[in-house]
Structure formats: structure tokens, C-alpha cells
Amino acid sequence: MLRGEMNLVGPRPHPMVNQRIFMERIAYYGLRSTVRPGVTGWAQVRHGYANNIEEETRKMHYDLYYIKNRSLLLDARILVETVAI
């Protein structure tokens, strides 16, 4: 059942356990919660999966870029790149 808690495009959600750790260690991590999470996102198509805190911090830069520059054109680009990957 679809409940409308996620967008198609937006920052990928993290497990709650990881969120607490990331909030403590990654600057501006809380800004990710200002937009709905998505099935795919700018950080996902630009960086892929993160395996440690340093990589997660790099992905956060992409999430911040997305939040600051959200638009239908950027969402369309992300969807095209997602399909290409």
C-alpha cells in the first residue's frame, strides 16, 4: 500500500540506528530531513553506496546539493541517470 511517505527522488533513507550516528558525526546531516526521502537520489547516482563514515560524509555533500537545487529538471536528470545505471 502506498502511503506517501517517500518521493521517487530525494535523499535515500537510512536505518534509524545509522541516523543517530550520522547526526553526531556529519555536519548538516539533519538537513536531509527537510525533504522526503526518495527511492533514488543525486547522491545515489553520483556516489553509489557508502561503506564507512567518510564515504557517507561525501554522499552528504551530494544530498545538500540536491536539497539546495531541487527542481523538476534535476529530478528528471536523476531518474534518467538511475535508469542508465
Side-chain angles (χ1 to χ4, degrees):
M1 173 185 221
L2 298 175
R3 298 190 311 195
E5 295 176 358
M6 288 182 70
N7 285 335
L8 188 56
V9 177
R12 294 285 305 269
H14 291 115
M16 292 303 288
V17 173
N18 293 351
Q19 279 188 307
R20 282 184 244 131
I21 294 167
F22 296 157
M23 286 288 286
E24 293 171 0
R25 297 184 182 180
I26 301 174
Y28 306 109
Y29 186 83
L31 289 175
R32 295 177 91 249
S33 64
T34 62
V35 297
R36 283 186 183 179
V39 176
T40 188
W42 189 242
Q44 190 67 24
V45 298
R46 288 288 172 227
H47 191 278
Y49 293 98
N51 295 313
N52 56 48
I53 196 74
E54 291 81 21
E55 290 179 1
E56 195 62 51
T57 302
R58 266 186 260 135
K59 282 186 71 171
M60 183 62 197
H61 292 263
Y62 292 109
D63 286 336
L64 291 175
Y65 176 87
Y66 174 77
I67 292 166
K68 183 177 178 182
N69 297 288
R70 286 175 54 192
S71 69
L72 287 175
L73 186 60
L74 181 57
D75 284 0
R77 181 176 178 185
I78 292 167
L79 290 172
V80 168
E81 291 188 24
T82 298
V83 170
I85 294 172

